[in-house]
Each structure stands twice: as structure tokens, then as C-alpha cells.
Amino acid sequence: MEQKLSRRRLMQSGVAVTAPLLAGCANQSDDSTPTSDDSDGGRTDGDTDEQSPTSQNSSPQSIHITQGNSPLYRLDPLQDPFAFGRRILNNVFDGLYEYGDGPELVPVLADGEPEVENDGQRYIVEIVDDAKFHNGDRLTAEDVLYSFVQPLRAESLGSGDVSMIDPEGSQVVDETTVQFDLEFPYAPFRTSVLPRLIVDKQAREEDPEAYNSAPIGSGPFKYSNHVEGEFIEIEAWDDFWGEPSPNLSSARFTVTEDDASRVSQLLAGDTDMISEIPASAWERLENNDNVQIHYRDNIAYLYSAFNCNDGPTANADVRRGIWHSYSEQAYIDSQYPEAVPVVDKISPVPQPVLERWDLPVEEYRELQTVEYNPEKAAELLDGNIPDPWEPTFVSLGEDPFHEYLSARLRGLSEFGLTIEPQIQSYGIPQFNDTVFSGNAEDYQMYSIGHTGGLDPDSYFYSLFSEAQRGVPGGNGSYYGDEEFLSKIEEARRMSDQDARRQIYDELIREVLEQAAHMPRQQIGNNVATRSTVQGVNVPVHPDWMLHLTNPINNVSVSE
């Protein structure tokens, strides 16, 4: 169950704690001015909010939600694969399956589980017969099929997620039945592909540009208004076909990237909910009688990846040298107060998924734990980097880890090395334009987050496959020889889970031993709300973190 933390909860082992992206996670300065309700009331309410999801309020209720990173303002879910936009769109659109209270999927538009035929190469999904879109159009199997195959035909950013679907063989059986034929048997299809938002085919085809600025979905909220770079507003749909009906009458989503300002807005009552709680403010918010923290371990993966294609970091010894140049525990201690729940990441596949697959978590932890040894770092780097070396480190949003690592690398001057890292932080568009090229001039290391599903393929294919090289949000490390890449393809085409487990074990060990990625410490999914906000549930998937109305929870705001 989602937790509302009320006291120190520092997790250094057990279920992995992750974060979708970088912003707001590190111990940045919180200089917000105390307000009249900034008390140290010492909250001890640690129980999960058990409010029924059933709609109970008839009076208008609005909520103001402030995120730490800006969405792309692409309001068509087939065009925006990034978390900060998806969190909003998940209220406007429905999926065939959505994340429930834990690491499992529940049917929403689907009427039960899919039927699997042809040795895993065909999935037949029945959908509910009473779903409709905000414009009154009935939601049919035609809309479902279109939502899956259109990204392939358009070769859009999200096409890699559905690349195993055969768009010609897949078909509408009848108005409530869709048949997905696959190019090959794909075992994770149920957990990694079917949880997809469904668009109105006719409305989107008639005017794609209008659909991207004023989307039409089937969810409990409908689009109301937005100003790019400022806000997005949605309002409750009175004729929502499903249950429960929203408690809220409207919701306004804004962005405040500065951590201290976001916290100040919450404490002053200028916003009802913030995401990406800064570590420096965690204990302060936790001890405030007017604030509740909602938290859950998640299935996201935060990492720093090396450019293994070009430049000095294509050499494994250089990558290992960088690993040995800093102490991960010292970094955690310097950035995260004790009150913050922090867990180190141990592999490209998050620990909850490793545990579901019965993979050797502790063995990976040992492989990932690299000794802080600056002398060894200098030995590995000496002769393998130019003098001086000015590697470019790029992050999505500000990442204090880059500053910390850079200071340690500069400190290797005592061993005769001159290293002056160049640090760049970008928003999503510029980050995508810079990273993923494979060129050393653009980057030697980059940091970002990735959220897959409940299958290791949703991490390895996106982050390491040859098909995802150069794809924004995909594979910018270019790591792997022919054998490594073929194992990724082989595993995703197999139905034998034991055989797949063996392959993923080999892949994880290689990534860690060759230091292609540095898995990073993370905080799980979290939001902080005013105490007047009830019915909040934080799921395991970061994209669903701001889901306001569903069978699990129904957010409301009291006076």
C-alpha cells in the first residue's frame, strides 16, 4: 500500500527505491521563507489513507498540482512518451490496463485478461461495451487498434514500445474485440505493451494538430485549457462512463522547477500538491501538521550512462576509473538527510522486478558496489585519457551528482591527471537533441531516468538494444557487441521464462562488470499535499503518480 511517512525511514536494503527523473531528488538548498502554517507539529499519522474511491462530494472542488519538471505540452498521448506529460494525460485518457495498488495491472477498458493464441504470437482482447469519449463517440476496437499501430506507421518516438506488433496482420474482429498479431512471440506483451492509452481515431485523424492541443479522451477528466509553459487545466466529465465519478470538479497543473519555491508554495497554501519533494525539505514537510507526504517504492531506474561508442569512455578501464574516483555512500550522506528514504540502485532492472523474476539481487549488489579508491582510479585513467581531459557530462535538469563527481575527478590532479569536466543540464527537447548521438563531442556521460514495466525486456530493449540507438529516451550508451545485442533480441522472443531469466542474468552481470551504466541512488514516487487533500494513492509506476480518480483512489479537497 502507498505510505504516508511520518518519521525517519532510511532504507538501505530491501525493496528498491527509485525515481523517474533527476529533478528534486538531491539535497539542494531550501531557502523558502517560513509561513504561518510552517509548524513543527511532529505528525505521527503513518496509516494509509483508506478513503473509499466512491464519489462522495457534490460541491465543486478544485486542486492545484505543481510538478518539478515541465511537460512537453504535447497533449496527444501518441506524441508524448515522457513522464511529466503522461501524469496529466492519464486523467484524460483510459488504458486497456492500468496500474493498481501494487506491481500489478488491472483491466480498465479491457474486459478481463487477453486470450493468447499461436504460441504467444496472437493476443485477442475484449473491451467493455459502454466506454465512450468526451465528444460522445463510442470507444470501439477500431480506436484500440489505431492507438497501437499508428505510432509504427508514423515512426514516432513511441514506436519502439510497439515494434513487435504486425500492423498488417492485426485487425478488428468486431466492435468490442481486437486481435493483435505479433512479428514474433513476445512474452512481456501483456505487462509491457497492453497498458497503453487509447485515443479517438476519428477525432485525431480529422485534425491531428487540434487533437494535440485539445485532446479528446475517455477518462474521468476532460481537457479544459492550457497555456504552453504555464499551466494545463482539466475538468471533471459529468458523463464519465466508468466508476467512480471524480470527487474533484477541476484540476490545474503548473510547474515550478526551483525546489525551494515549490516547497514555499505548498506551505503557503498556494498549491495543494507538489511532486518531486526536494530532499532538503523532506523532514520539514514530514513534521508539518498541515502537510502529508505520500510515498511508495517504484519501478523506475535512475542512471548515469557512459558513451561507449566514441571517445575515452568507450574504454572500459576509463569507465571503471571514473567509478573508483568517488564514494557512493559519501555522496548519499552529503545529499540526503537521514529522514529521506534512499536506496541505492543495483542494476538496470529495478529490484522489485528482479524479485518478481527470482534473480540474484545480492549478487548484483556486490557487483555494483565499487570501492572508492582514487589511486586505482588514476591508474586506470592514466594513459587512456588526453591531458588535459574535458569530458562533457549532460543531465536532464540539474543533477548535483555531476558536480560531485567532477570535483572528485579534478581531485585526481594529485596523481598528475588534469581532468576538467564540462557540465551541461538541459530541458527535454535540448537533451534529446544533444544526447543519443553517440558522438564524444556531444557527451561522454549522461544522466536520466527510465521507467519500464514488470519485465526485464522493458529496460534492456529500450536502454541497450541496437534498434534504440540514437532514439531520444532510448540507447545513448551504444554499449554492446554482437553477442550482447543478440541476447537482448533472443530473450524478448522466447516464451520459456527460465531460459529468459538466465539470459537476463548474463546481461545484467555484463553491464555491471563492464561499467556501461552507473545505477544511481533514488527516492521513490512521492508527492506532498496539504492536509485538506484526501484520497491520494501513489502507485509503483511514476507515470501514474498523479492519477486523481480510479478504482483504487478518488482525490478530494476539503475546506
Side-chain angles (χ1 to χ4, degrees), residues 465-499:
S465 74
E466 188 169 21
Q468 292 296 297
R469 286 181 174 178
V471 176
N475 179 4
S477 71
Y478 289 73
Y479 174 79
D481 57 17
E482 184 175 343
E483 181 181 2
F484 178 88
L485 297 172
S486 66
K487 285 181 179 179
I488 294 174
E489 291 295 331
E490 180 184 4
R492 73 194 319 245
R493 296 167 184 259
M494 300 171 66
S495 57
D496 186 330
Q497 183 149 328
D498 288 337

Side-chain angles (χ1 to χ4, degrees), residues 403-433:
E403 294 285 357
Y404 184 90
L405 178 61
S406 297
R408 299 307 174 274
L409 290 172
R410 286 192 293 268
L412 296 180
S413 60
E414 66 175 296
F415 299 100
L417 300 178
T418 303
I419 304 175
E420 288 292 339
Q422 308 300 302
I423 299 173
Q424 302 290 341
S425 60
Y426 299 129
I428 291 174
Q430 190 173 4
F431 183 88
N432 288 339
D433 290 342

Side-chain angles (χ1 to χ4, degrees), residues 236-305:
W237 181 29
D238 292 338
D239 296 324
F240 178 49
W241 62 273
E243 292 290 341
S245 297
N247 284 327
L248 297 168
S249 58
S250 63
R252 179 182 177 93
F253 296 85
T254 59
V255 176
T256 299
E257 295 184 353
D258 180 71
D259 289 342
S261 297
R262 199 164 62 254
V263 171
S264 291
Q265 290 168 359
L266 180 69
L267 293 173
D270 295 331
T271 189
D272 300 301
M273 179 188 298
I274 64 171
S275 61
E276 292 80 52
I277 301 172
S280 58
W282 192 284
E283 187 170 11
R284 181 184 179 199
L285 294 177
E286 191 174 65
N287 291 329
N288 190 300
D289 280 339
N290 297 295
V291 173
Q292 295 177 351
I293 290 179
H294 306 262
Y295 171 89
R296 191 191 294 270
D297 304 336
N298 67 16
I299 56 171
Y301 169 53
L302 178 65
Y303 63 97
S304 294

Side-chain angles (χ1 to χ4, degrees), residues 160-211:
D161 297 339
V162 292
S163 60
M164 73 297 299
I165 294 177
D166 174 6
E168 304 306 323
S170 299
Q171 60 182 297
V172 171
V173 178
D174 56 43
E175 285 198 336
T176 59
T177 310
V178 61
Q179 172 185 304
F180 296 104
D181 281 1
L182 309 186
E183 299 283 0
F184 51 87
Y186 182 59
F189 190 76
R190 161 71 170 82
T191 59
S192 296
V193 182
L194 287 180
R196 190 171 187 83
L197 300 180
I198 305 304
V199 302
D200 184 332
K201 176 184 177 180
Q202 180 176 337
R204 188 177 187 273
E205 288 285 286
E206 286 178 353
D207 194 338
E209 186 175 341
Y211 200 83

Side-chain angles (χ1 to χ4, degrees), residues 205-516:
E205 288 285 286
E206 286 178 353
D207 194 338
E209 186 175 341
Y211 200 83
N212 191 36
S213 60
I216 298 169
S218 62
F221 291 85
K222 61 182 182 179
Y223 167 82
S224 175
N225 187 26
H226 83 279
V227 173
E228 186 164 341
E230 295 185 17
F231 67 86
I232 297 175
E233 292 178 339
I234 60 177
E235 61 185 34
W237 181 29
D238 292 338
D239 296 324
F240 178 49
W241 62 273
E243 292 290 341
S245 297
N247 284 327
L248 297 168
S249 58
S250 63
R252 179 182 177 93
F253 296 85
T254 59
V255 176
T256 299
E257 295 184 353
D258 180 71
D259 289 342
S261 297
R262 199 164 62 254
V263 171
S264 291
Q265 290 168 359
L266 180 69
L267 293 173
D270 295 331
T271 189
D272 300 301
M273 179 188 298
I274 64 171
S275 61
E276 292 80 52
I277 301 172
S280 58
W282 192 284
E283 187 170 11
R284 181 184 179 199
L285 294 177
E286 191 174 65
N287 291 329
N288 190 300
D289 280 339
N290 297 295
V291 173
Q292 295 177 351
I293 290 179
H294 306 262
Y295 171 89
R296 191 191 294 270
D297 304 336
N298 67 16
I299 56 171
Y301 169 53
L302 178 65
Y303 63 97
S304 294
F306 293 107
N307 185 338
C308 300
N309 181 65
D310 185 27
T313 51
N315 183 332
D317 279 344
V318 172
R319 302 194 296 268
R320 295 187 186 104
I322 293 173
W323 269 42
H324 282 291
S325 72
Y326 82 102
S327 165
E328 183 177 40
Q329 188 58 53
Y331 172 71
I332 292 173
D333 292 343
S334 72
Q335 298 294 313
Y336 297 91
E338 280 192 276
V340 182
V342 178
V343 172
D344 295 345
K345 295 305 295 179
I346 58 174
S347 91
V349 179
Q351 189 168 327
V353 182
L354 296 176
E355 290 173 344
R356 285 173 65 91
W357 278 70
D358 196 26
L359 285 160
V361 172
E362 293 308 315
E363 291 181 27
Y364 302 153
R365 191 185 305 281
E366 185 175 345
L367 283 173
Q368 189 268 340
T369 303
V370 178
E371 175 193 15
Y372 169 56
N373 189 331
E375 184 174 0
K376 185 173 183 179
E379 290 176 0
L380 290 166
L381 293 169
D382 190 22
N384 290 318
I385 59 174
D387 185 20
W389 186 35
E390 297 182 350
T392 300
F393 297 162
V394 180
S395 62
L396 180 58
E398 292 185 6
D399 186 358
F401 173 70
H402 286 194
E403 294 285 357
Y404 184 90
L405 178 61
S406 297
R408 299 307 174 274
L409 290 172
R410 286 192 293 268
L412 296 180
S413 60
E414 66 175 296
F415 299 100
L417 300 178
T418 303
I419 304 175
E420 288 292 339
Q422 308 300 302
I423 299 173
Q424 302 290 341
S425 60
Y426 299 129
I428 291 174
Q430 190 173 4
F431 183 88
N432 288 339
D433 290 342
T434 303
V435 177
F436 309 116
S437 68
N439 296 326
E441 292 181 357
D442 294 331
Y443 64 98
Q444 290 285 281
M445 186 184 79
Y446 67 96
S447 297
I448 192 175
H450 173 76
T451 302
L454 304 178
D455 191 289
D457 176 78
S458 61
Y459 299 88
F460 269 97
Y461 183 79
S462 294
L463 301 180
F464 293 101
S465 74
E466 188 169 21
Q468 292 296 297
R469 286 181 174 178
V471 176
N475 179 4
S477 71
Y478 289 73
Y479 174 79
D481 57 17
E482 184 175 343
E483 181 181 2
F484 178 88
L485 297 172
S486 66
K487 285 181 179 179
I488 294 174
E489 291 295 331
E490 180 184 4
R492 73 194 319 245
R493 296 167 184 259
M494 300 171 66
S495 57
D496 186 330
Q497 183 149 328
D498 288 337
R500 296 185 71 220
R501 181 186 298 109
Q502 177 62 35
I503 291 176
Y504 287 123
D505 178 59
E506 295 170 2
L507 291 173
I508 290 170
R509 291 177 188 277
E510 179 171 340
V511 169
L512 296 177
E513 289 168 353
Q514 296 299 315

